[in-house]
Structures are given as structure tokens and as C-alpha cells.
């Protein structure tokens, strides 16, 4: 999944399955300023939507840094049974994210309250990836430490994250703003 605003065109975009582009032409905004629909810029058949106004994220337009803000119980769903299964080939997630308070454990993807699959900011020390391993019928949680920048992440600052799972090497790797972090937890239990 890629998330950015035009005219920026991320490298390797032709390989992505989903691009949540912040260009307003892809976002359906209600009169109240909430997002009722967000089109996948890669596949026009895929639109993420939310009919319940209380669960709609807020669109914050700006000339240089537009944002869709998810808080509380906000979520968008596609209604499609889309799975990004790579078998044993691993996976990569790319996202741009900010937080008002990086010291708070906050789900970036998924719901960390009651779900077996999510990516979460881990209190300004790293990212936690939790996933269900069907082969072992177990939930596996891995923490990846952010050690560059050493001072931690600055509140209200956007960072570019890449998390890569490489089952061949048995590692999960994290990059922050293009800098590979030295923490690389091994996969498994």
C-alpha cells in the first residue's frame, strides 16, 4: 500500500496493488469534512468507504500536506475480499505517518484493541507487528526498534516507513526516512 499526494509518483508504483493518493480527486468528502469514500489510484474498481458518519475519518486539505486523519473508531472498508498473500515470498508495507504524541501506542494499520493482525507505533521506541500464523495456529508479535534518529520521533512530524518481512532470511526489517534500523528481529515464536 502506498499513501502520498500528487504530483509525487513513488518509485515502483507499477508494482503496487494499492495507492491511497491524497489528491482530492480520489477522495469523497462530505459537507461535514469527513471522508465517505477513497478510491484506490491503482485500481479504480477498488473504493474504500464508510457509511456511518461517526466512523468516517476527517479530510484535512492543505496546499502542501493534505491528510486523512483516522481517530477513535474511524475506518474505511472496500467490501472486497482482497488478500495480499505472497506465500513464503515475504511482504513489504510502505506508509507515511505522523502522530500528535509518538509516546502513545497507536495502531497504524489494523485495530490493536482486539485484533490478531496490526502494525502499531510502540511508544516512540519502534513498531510492533502482530500477525496470526495459521501454520502454527498462533499469534506472533515482533517489535522492531527505531534507533535512528536516536532522539526518537518528533511529534506532529511526518515520517516515511518501510517494513519488510523476509522469511528466506528469517528477518523483519524497518526503514525510517530511508535509513535502515539496526534492529532486525527474527521470525518465528
Amino acid at each position: 500500500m502506498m499513501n502520498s499526494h500528487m504530483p509525487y509518483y513513488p518509485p515502483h508504483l507499477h508494482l503496487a496493488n494499492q495507492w491511497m493518493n491524497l489528491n482530492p480527486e480520489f477522495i469523497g468528502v462530505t459537507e461535514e469534512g469527513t471522508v465517505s469514500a477513497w478510491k484506490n489510484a491503482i485500481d479504480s474498481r477498488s473504493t474504500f468507504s464508510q457509511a456511518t458518519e461517526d466512523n468516517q475519518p476527517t479530510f484535512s486539505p492543505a496546499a502542501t500536506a493534505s491528510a486523512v486523519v483516522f481517530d477513535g473508531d474511524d475506518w474505511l472498508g472496500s467490501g472486497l475480499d482482497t488478500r495480499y498473500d505472497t506465500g513464503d515470498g515475504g511482504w513489504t508495507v510502505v506508509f507515511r505517518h505522523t502522530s500528535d504524541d509518538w509516546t502513545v501506542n497507536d495502531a497504524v494499520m489494523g485495530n490493536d484493541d482486539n485484533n490478531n493482525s496490526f502494525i502499531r507505533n510502540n511508544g516512540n521506541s519502534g513498531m510492533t507487528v502482530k500477525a496470526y500464523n495459521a501454520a502454527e495456529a498462533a499469534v506472533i508479535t515482533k517489535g522492531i526498534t527505531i534507533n535512528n534518529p536516536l532522539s526518537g520521533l518528533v511529534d506532529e512530524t511526518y515520517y516515511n516507513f518501510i517494513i519488510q518481512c523476509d522469511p528466506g532470511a528469517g528477518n523483519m526489517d524497518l526503514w525510517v526516512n530511508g535509513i535502515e534500523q539496526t534492529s532486525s528481529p527474527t521470525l518465528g515464536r
Side-chain angles (χ1 to χ4, degrees), residues 4-185:
S4 66
H5 186 323
M6 290 178 141
Y8 173 70
Y9 291 96
H12 312 293
L13 187 57
H14 65 285
L15 299 173
N17 293 312
Q18 184 176 319
W19 180 16
M20 305 314 290
N21 190 313
L22 287 171
N23 186 321
E25 74 182 63
F26 293 99
I27 301 173
V29 180
T30 67
E31 289 181 12
E32 292 77 24
T34 60
V35 176
S36 60
W38 195 354
K39 294 178 188 175
N40 178 356
I42 298 288
D43 181 356
S44 61
R45 298 171 298 160
S46 174
T47 298
F48 295 80
S49 60
Q50 174 58 262
T52 305
E53 188 175 331
D54 288 345
N55 297 119
Q56 293 174 346
T58 304
F59 182 62
S60 176
T64 58
S66 294
V68 174
V69 179
F70 291 81
D71 59 8
D73 293 324
D74 295 349
W75 61 274
L76 298 172
S78 71
L80 301 174
D81 186 18
T82 304
R83 297 174 189 263
Y84 298 112
D85 182 8
T86 60
D88 288 336
W91 51 265
T92 301
V93 176
V94 179
F95 59 97
R96 182 174 167 93
H97 186 64
T98 188
S99 178
D100 293 336
D101 184 356
W102 283 104
T103 63
V104 174
N105 291 346
D106 236 352
V108 176
M109 295 179 189
N111 178 348
D112 62 346
D113 289 334
N114 58 7
N115 196 324
N116 285 333
S117 299
F118 63 77
I119 297 175
R120 177 184 74 204
N121 166 43
N122 199 18
N124 205 8
S125 65
M127 290 287 168
T128 297
V129 178
K130 182 177 179 184
Y132 179 73
N133 182 336
E136 296 185 27
V139 175
I140 297 174
T141 303
K142 292 296 172 188
I144 310 171
T145 303
I146 295 175
N147 49 29
N148 192 338
L150 291 173
S151 60
L153 304 176
V154 178
D155 293 347
E156 299 180 8
T157 300
Y158 280 92
Y159 293 92
N160 299 303
F161 296 92
I162 300 173
I163 299 176
Q164 179 180 14
C165 175
D166 181 357
N171 293 333
M172 190 173 300
D173 301 306
L174 171 68
W175 285 263
V176 179
N177 286 347
I179 300 171
E180 184 173 9
Q181 306 301 294
T182 57
S183 169
S184 182

